[in-house]
Structure formats: C-alpha cells, structure tokens
Amino acid sequence: MKLAPDDLDSITATTLGHYQQVAEDFRQGTRDHDVSQNIDALLRHIRGPAPFRVLDFGCGPGRDLQTFTRLGHIAIGLDGCERFTQMARDDSGCEVWQQDFLKLDLPASHFDGIFANAVLFHIPRQELPRVLKQLHASLKDGGVLFSSNPRGDNQEGWNGPRYGAYHDLAAWQALLTEAGFVELEHYYRPAGLPREQQPWLASVWRKA
C-alpha cells in the first residue's frame, strides 16, 4: 500500500520525536560500540589521496565523526534529530547538517565516501530509490557508500515508536544496483558468530 505524504510526515515526526526524547540515553548507550570494521570497510575502498571528505549520514550524537577526524579525514555529519545534531557539533567540532532524510539537500559530486551506519532502514521502502539516487549524486565519481542495516524478510512497519524497513540481501542488492551502485563487498555482523546471531547486514558500494 502506497504511503501518502501525510503518512510519510507522520513516520518522520514520530521516529525523530522518539530519538529527540532519548538522545542522551542513546549517546551513552552507543558511545562504546565498536564499528571499526565498518569504518575500515568504507575507507579501504576509497581511491585517491587522503584526507577524504566523508558524509556521516545519520551521524547521531557524533561518535563516528570523532573517529573519522582522528584518522585525519574531513567529516561532515547529517541527522534529522535536532538534539543529535547539536551533540554531534559539540562533541566532534565538525560541521553537522540537520536535514529530514526524505527532504535532502546535498551538494553534487562532493563526497569521497558516505558512511550510512544503522540509518537507511528508517527510510520507507517506497522512498528509498529516490534517497539512494540523491546519495549517489552527492558522491564524486568512483566514490564509496557504506551501509549497515538490520536484515529482515522485506517487511516494514513500526517497531515501537520507530519506523523501519528490513531488507534481505537480494532485495538490498537490487535497490542499490538500480540506484547506480556497484557492489564491492558485503558481510554480516557481529563478526565470528553463527548467521542466526548476526542481525546486521553491512555492504559497500561504488558509484558507477
């Protein structure tokens, strides 16, 4: 069933409202999460001389902005939650944009890499092709997109106060290919566990 504009506005407002309410608890609860495997997966595929210009799409409170900066890169954050964007600016010192994921305004051919860690699953399936093409357009030629999402069986809906769409590998590959990306690699997380204990699907893509 197609979501109407009012439905999309409600999804955005309710999901962002939840993050706004729990922002500090979220920052404390995710501060020590180790996503170095994901950051390495993005950076090792970017071509050309460093430092790289990286968009942390859905940067949250800014944990990974700090990591990219420590590694010597130029990181810009983007999030829809007002409290997250302020936390990210304060904690990282980076430029951070507050934008609704469904109403993006991104510069063209600007970024060497986009780091979309645990964020794209919040975008309703019907809007995802458009958003992916916007991310594609904001990458330089040959630029790299990293994504990590909770995997699922191509269902979407409410998980408490947050909306999510949960894709399997084949569906995700089809979406990214349609948007103009070429797959570089994919893997499941956390590493070293049986597949049924790996809820996250991570993938890396190059702008064709």
Side-chain angles (χ1 to χ4, degrees), residues 36-54:
S36 57
Q37 180 186 17
N38 295 344
I39 290 173
D40 291 345
L42 171 71
L43 295 177
R44 71 168 171 266
H45 286 292
I46 298 178
R47 298 167 174 162
F52 304 133
R53 188 179 299 276
V54 176

Side-chain angles (χ1 to χ4, degrees), residues 86-167:
Q86 191 58 56
M87 288 175 173
R89 292 186 193 109
D90 293 344
D91 289 355
S92 71
C94 293
E95 183 176 357
V96 180
W97 304 335
Q98 184 181 347
Q99 293 189 21
D100 180 341
F101 296 162
L102 301 186
K103 300 174 183 177
L104 294 173
D105 182 15
L106 299 175
S109 302
H110 189 71
F111 297 103
D112 298 291
I114 296 175
F115 189 65
N117 189 67
V119 61
L120 289 174
F121 74 98
H122 282 315
I123 297 171
R125 167 65 180 81
Q126 75 179 45
E127 301 301 305
L128 194 53
R130 177 178 60 83
V131 173
L132 290 173
K133 287 177 181 176
Q134 290 176 307
L135 296 181
H136 184 277
S138 73
L139 284 168
K140 297 176 184 178
D141 289 344
V144 177
L145 167 69
F146 170 87
S147 76
S148 178
N149 295 306
R151 61 189 180 91
D153 54 2
N154 305 311
Q155 300 296 314
E156 65 182 296
W158 291 101
N159 181 7
R162 299 185 298 180
Y163 193 89
Y166 306 97
H167 312 276

Side-chain angles (χ1 to χ4, degrees), residues 39 62-73 75 91 94:
I39 290 173
R63 177 198 63 209
D64 302 329
L65 288 171
Q66 297 177 65
T67 301
F68 284 118
T69 301
R70 283 197 303 270
L71 293 171
H73 302 294
D91 289 355
C94 293

Side-chain angles (χ1 to χ4, degrees), residues 66-85:
Q66 297 177 65
T67 301
F68 284 118
T69 301
R70 283 197 303 270
L71 293 171
H73 302 294
I74 302 162
I76 295 174
L78 185 151
D79 206 281
C81 173
E82 182 180 4
R83 288 192 69 193
F84 279 168
T85 55

